[in-house]
Amino acid sequence: MNVYDSHRMAVMLENFGYTPAKNQTEADLVLFNTCHIREKAAEKVFSDLGRAYLIKQERAEKGLDTIIGVAGCVVQAEDEEIAKRAPYVDFALGPLTYHRLPEMLAKISRERGTTLIDTDFPAEAKFDFLPENRAEGGCSFLAVQEGCNNFCTYCVVPYTRGAEYSRPVAEVVAEAKRLLATGTLEINLLGQNVNSYHGEDESGKERNLAYLLQKIAELDGLKRLRYTTSYPADVDDDLIACHRDLQALMPYLHLPVQSGSDKILKAMNRRHDRRQYLEVIEKLQKANDKLRFSSDFIVGFPGETDADFEQTLSLVNEVKYIQAFSFKYSRRPGTPAAVMPAQVEEKVKKERLDILQKLLFDYQTKFNEACIGKAFEVLFEQKGRHNGQLIGRTPYMQNLHAKADENILNKIVEVRVTDATTNSLSGEVL
Ligand code: SAH
Ligand code: SF4
């Protein structure tokens, strides 16, 4: 979501005459888009800001002015902290107000010396005020839903991104058409809780994510469709049917479970237990036997015992995820879990994370190795580190490196996999 938001801010700034700087020392405007999900991400902002301030001072010695701005969820949660710890920051915008960036820049040219802050949850939808989006390459994100009403007890999202909001169907379809017209082949529909999408169609009727996926799958030029991130309890039968019926829908789904223990899922306030989660996986698998899964995991949630953790490992052994993101529980101020008793020691969290990641990597490696010798359609997205090498993605989101001519960038071509590691594949273009 932050990559999407950053791109939309960049397009907005281009319309105001800004162009991307080669590096920070050349930048007249430095804008950090920030994440508050875990403490580490939030703390990084302050060290990045410190470095930006040094560059600002060096530039000032040469008579160059630098505007420093911060956007995103850290602003929503820590606006006063930013103004206090980094008073040289010129402006700070929350994730729901970045459409006001041009106004902010105009204000700054008049009022330097204070940190201007906008952390509104505005009544207007920011999407109505953003300039038209355009594709950056063959793959594009498209935000269809924002915010969350789930209130998992560890999570800041409902506080930083606010209540759920779904963009109207027509608006999403129009943005998808623009992305396709400007060169995209793959669209990834985004939302913090994307499968609770309930945007209105032109007659004012609320429509679900399955309806939206069908509408977008019909568009000329669309080759690949994905959606991220889904909440397991909101996977309905219509959505499951999409995995059977929609050719463009890729056979890879990110369906975070967080923990395999019912006791912990309950304490997390997740609206699903282990059995319900596995039933959803089974139904999806029945609809499309090529479908494979990834997940997010949290280890060391307050009260998690060795036995609870074992349940997470056994769930991984059941689902055999082909990729996953796993994190140590991070105590976020203001969330219910932060003040729960039985916080788990850092050392134990680290041990559990190591064990879990080893198991996850084993499955990931096995899946990648099983791809050797097979042919996949790969969408090449960027140049690799080595000369003549391109990097693309398979339908399963694996990174694939191949020697190939640059003219196949942003195209989908058939590739035979020749080698595999935990994190990537190599192949030859057929
Ligand atoms: N809406 C999505 C995920 C949003 S946040 C969902 O419900 O699945 C992305 C991931 O960050 C979460 O899935 C969770 O695994 C992780 N996360 C969120 N808060 C966290 C915290 N306090 N500590 C550690 N990980 C956290
Ligand atoms: Fe956070 Fe996802 Fe839970 Fe919403 S559903 S509170 S975004 S983890």
Side-chain angles (χ1 to χ4, degrees):
M1 187 67 89
N2 269 11
V3 172
Y4 174 82
D5 290 341
S6 299
H7 175 59
R8 301 229 49 183
M9 285 188 253
V11 171
M12 203 172 0
L13 289 169
E14 270 173 24
N15 289 0
F16 278 81
Y18 283 89
T19 52
K22 275 196 219 76
N23 53 52
Q24 211 171 306
T25 50
E26 287 177 23
D28 301 318
L29 166 67
V30 182
L31 178 54
F32 292 96
N33 196 13
T34 63
C35 175
H36 198 246
I37 199 83
R38 283 171 292 277
E39 192 180 355
K40 211 164 133 192
E43 271 308 308
K44 246 181 79 181
V45 179
F46 290 99
S47 43
D48 284 339
L49 282 173
R51 273 191 295 277
Y53 183 48
L54 290 180
I55 296 172
K56 181 182 168 112
Q57 285 171 315
E58 281 164 24
R59 281 171 50 89
E61 282 165 22
K62 295 182 201 143
L64 298 167
D65 187 25
T66 315
I67 297 171
I68 299 180
V70 190
C73 290
V74 174
V75 174
Q76 203 65 41
E78 301 190 27
D79 52 345
E80 285 169 17
E81 187 82 0
I82 291 173
K84 210 166 77 199
R85 280 174 70 179
Y88 47 82
V89 166
D90 296 292
F91 71 94
L93 286 166
L96 301 179
T97 52
Y98 68 74
H99 58 296
R100 296 179 183 162
L101 183 54
E103 280 163 61
M104 215 30 145
L105 290 172
K107 242 195 207 163
I108 282 165
S109 59
R110 299 191 298 268
E111 306 170 34
R112 294 305 291 273
T114 52
T115 306
L116 300 175
I117 295 173
D118 187 348
T119 49
D120 255 13
F121 285 112
E124 81 270 14
K126 68 175 173 229
F127 299 104
D128 296 345
F129 295 85
L130 295 173
E132 283 196 345
N133 201 1
R134 58 161 171 75
E136 241 187 322
C139 286
S140 295
F141 290 124
L142 200 179
V144 304
Q145 181 278 334
E146 183 163 22
C148 184
N149 298 346
N150 281 321
F151 291 93
C152 299
T153 51
Y154 50 81
C155 184
V156 294
V157 169
Y159 311 98
T160 57
R161 292 259 177 188
E164 275 183 21
Y165 168 75
S166 296
R167 297 176 71 189
V169 173
E171 190 182 307
V172 173
V173 170
E175 187 170 331
K177 282 185 180 164
R178 280 195 301 274
L179 292 171
L180 293 166
T182 48
T184 213
L185 302 172
E186 173 177 313
I187 294 182
N188 193 340
L189 304 184
L190 296 183
Q192 267 81 34
N193 197 4
V194 70
N195 61 330
S196 78
Y197 176 84
H198 54 265
E200 287 184 0
D201 69 8
E202 268 150 354
S203 68
K205 187 169 174 202
E206 282 198 354
R207 298 293 191 167
N208 61 12
L209 183 65
Y211 180 88
L212 192 64
L213 286 168
Q214 282 158 17
K215 285 275 161 219
I216 293 178
E218 286 167 6
L219 298 178
D220 275 349
L222 183 92
K223 297 281 189 266
R224 290 177 162 194
L225 187 54
R226 304 179 188 274
Y227 59 94
T228 320
T229 296
S230 294
Y231 189 80
D234 294 334
V235 177
D236 60 17
D237 290 343
D238 291 348
L239 190 56
I240 293 172
C242 287
H243 285 278
R244 185 192 60 211
D245 302 334
L246 299 183
Q247 265 250 301
L249 197 56
M250 290 290 101
Y252 170 85
L253 183 63
H254 186 56
L255 195 61
V257 66
Q258 315 298 351
S259 166
S261 151
D262 281 344
K263 183 190 96 190
I264 296 299
L265 288 172
K266 196 151 185 253
M268 287 176 164
N269 192 33
R270 299 283 290 182
R271 288 185 286 108
H272 59 86
D273 60 18
R274 177 193 177 101
R275 187 185 53 81
Q276 287 161 332
Y277 178 82
L278 286 171
E279 275 170 15
V280 171
I281 294 267
E282 200 184 311
K283 281 192 201 164
L284 283 161
Q285 199 80 77
K286 250 197 203 138
N288 180 350
D289 63 5
K290 291 200 168 66
L291 191 57
R292 297 292 177 272
F293 301 92
S294 69
S295 176
D296 294 341
F297 295 93
I298 296 177
V299 299
F301 185 82
E304 186 188 71
T305 61
D306 284 340
D308 294 316
F309 177 61
E310 286 294 328
Q311 291 282 304
T312 298
L313 298 178
S314 85
L315 186 84
V316 172
N317 285 323
E318 276 193 55
V319 181
K320 303 182 173 57
Y321 297 95
I322 64 164
Q323 272 157 56
F325 303 93
S326 44
F327 315 101
K328 288 184 286 187
Y329 166 70
S330 172
R331 221 168 160 169
R332 309 307 290 126
T335 60
V339 291
M340 281 181 186
Q343 297 283 330
V344 175
E345 255 181 89
E346 191 56 32
K347 185 171 149 272
V348 175
K349 284 187 204 169
K350 181 162 185 332
E351 280 166 12
R352 289 184 188 160
L353 188 67
D354 288 347
I355 295 168
L356 175 63
Q357 289 189 335
K358 186 174 176 308
L359 185 65
L360 290 168
F361 287 152
D362 279 351
Y363 281 114
Q364 188 171 325
T365 312
K366 264 190 210 137
F367 182 76
N368 287 351
E369 285 173 350
C371 293
I372 296 176
K374 292 188 186 152
F376 290 100
E377 293 205 319
V378 173
L379 170 47
F380 283 99
E381 291 171 49
Q382 51 176 314
K383 289 190 214 166
R385 247 183 302 149
H386 305 294
N387 233 351
Q389 185 195 49
L390 299 182
I391 306 176
R393 295 226 199 216
T394 68
Y396 292 103
M397 281 291 235
Q398 297 145 296
N399 279 322
L400 184 141
H401 302 251
K403 274 216 177 91
D405 198 275
E406 267 181 43
N407 66 17
I408 63 164
L409 261 184
N410 299 323
K411 293 200 177 97
I412 295 176
V413 295
E414 186 100 337
V415 175
R416 184 170 321 280
V417 177
T418 52
D419 206 358
T421 65
T422 305
N423 292 315
S424 68
L425 306 176
S426 316
E428 54 194 23
V429 175
L430 292 176

